[in-house]
Amino acid sequence: MLISNRGIPIAKLVPFRTSSNRLNSLGQDKGRFVVPDDFNAPLPEEILAAFEDGEE
């Protein structure tokens, strides 16, 4: 099915298929990156202020 705007195709809808080998794809990036120990640590005050106040 095509979606058009003023007769010009802008998108094509296609059926979604799940991967038949999903179990084989889980964990494929193991060892490629490490989550730092402080991942969930609070942000430093100056960075937090930039988000809250819009200032640096």
Side-chain angles (χ1 to χ4, degrees), residues 27-51:
Q28 68 184 3
D29 290 332
K30 185 176 182 177
R32 295 183 114 184
F33 60 92
V34 176
V35 176
D37 292 334
D38 64 349
F39 179 78
N40 288 325
L43 291 171
E45 289 298 321
E46 61 273 7
I47 295 176
L48 187 58
F51 279 103

Side-chain angles (χ1 to χ4, degrees), residues 3 7 14 20 46:
I3 298 174
V14 296
S20 61
E46 61 273 7

Side-chain angles (χ1 to χ4, degrees), residues 20-31:
S20 61
N21 62 351
R22 178 166 182 204
L23 292 178
N24 293 339
S25 66
L26 294 175
Q28 68 184 3
D29 290 332
K30 185 176 182 177

